[in-house]
Amino acid sequence: MIRLFLALAATIGFGLFLASCNTLSKEECVAADWRVIGESDGAAGHEPQQRFAAHAKSCERVKIVPDQTIWFQGYQAGLVRYCTPLSGLARGQAGSGYANVCPPETAPGFLRGFGLGSKQHELQARLSSMQNDYSFKETGIDELSDKLRDAKDDERSELRRRIRDLEDDLHDIRRDQRDVQDELDRVNEDVEWFQRNPNAELPAPGY
């Protein structure tokens, strides 16, 4: 009975895993407007070959073959919305990847925005990580200070040393935070400038 239950659970789990890999449900395959789906995929910046192949795989379950020509027409229309400087900025700010899908005539503008947004996202993530590290070490100091009050004489020297080490770490983190914050402030200024001038070249240093 237990073996049957485990086998059933494994089967259900595998089925759920497969379902999670499907880009379209059975109902969506049946009612599909392939131009609309293609436009949505292009506007999201999906890599075309992989995305269309995934749709075809999803719709095999209901024996439906996607119309690649119509889908690709929609995809190209969606790509026009995706491959803009401000779209690149938003994608970079969100920490998204880029599948190298923009054509040569629009890729430079998209990549200017994407590089700038990615830099902003990276610096914000670094500050967040530093703050978490700072809070963790502060908690460590509090815990060691509590131990110090009740410690035996032969333990006090080691506890004080560990507290000093953590305090030195906090000093280093504060210094690094100031440097990163200064850099982020400059990038934020560039973002504001870029939002007003999305089609212009970025001022030095560029991203």
Side-chain angles (χ1 to χ4, degrees), residues 86-202:
L86 291 180
S87 172
L89 177 66
R91 301 288 170 169
Q93 289 173 322
S96 301
Y98 172 55
N100 197 32
V101 295
C102 294
E105 59 271 20
T106 56
F110 176 91
L111 289 172
R112 283 199 304 273
F114 184 77
L116 179 56
S118 296
K119 186 65 175 178
Q120 186 184 48
H121 177 81
E122 173 204 342
L123 292 171
Q124 290 170 337
R126 284 174 61 187
L127 276 179
S128 178
S129 178
M130 287 178 180
Q131 185 56 51
N132 289 338
D133 191 27
Y134 192 93
S135 298
F136 178 77
K137 292 183 187 301
E138 273 191 323
T139 300
I141 290 174
D142 291 340
E143 291 174 350
L144 290 173
S145 298
D146 289 341
K147 290 180 180 179
L148 184 61
R149 284 196 294 269
D150 302 323
K152 298 177 182 178
D153 291 341
D154 59 345
E155 298 174 333
R156 289 179 175 273
S157 178
E158 173 62 15
L159 289 170
R160 290 194 183 99
R161 184 195 64 77
R162 290 169 62 187
I163 290 172
R164 285 196 301 272
D165 287 346
L166 287 173
E167 288 174 339
D168 288 343
D169 289 344
L170 293 183
H171 177 270
D172 291 342
I173 293 172
R174 285 195 295 269
R175 180 199 61 214
D176 293 342
Q177 281 179 317
R178 287 193 294 270
D179 291 342
V180 174
Q181 185 62 60
D182 287 344
E183 188 175 1
L184 179 59
D185 289 343
R186 291 192 292 271
V187 171
N188 287 340
E189 291 178 1
D190 286 346
V191 167
E192 292 179 5
W193 182 91
F194 186 79
Q195 288 171 328
R196 295 192 300 270
N197 307 276
N199 295 313
E201 291 289 340
L202 280 166

Side-chain angles (χ1 to χ4, degrees), residues 9-22:
T11 301
I12 293 172
F14 184 66
L16 290 174
F17 171 77
L18 289 177
S20 68
C21 295
N22 291 318

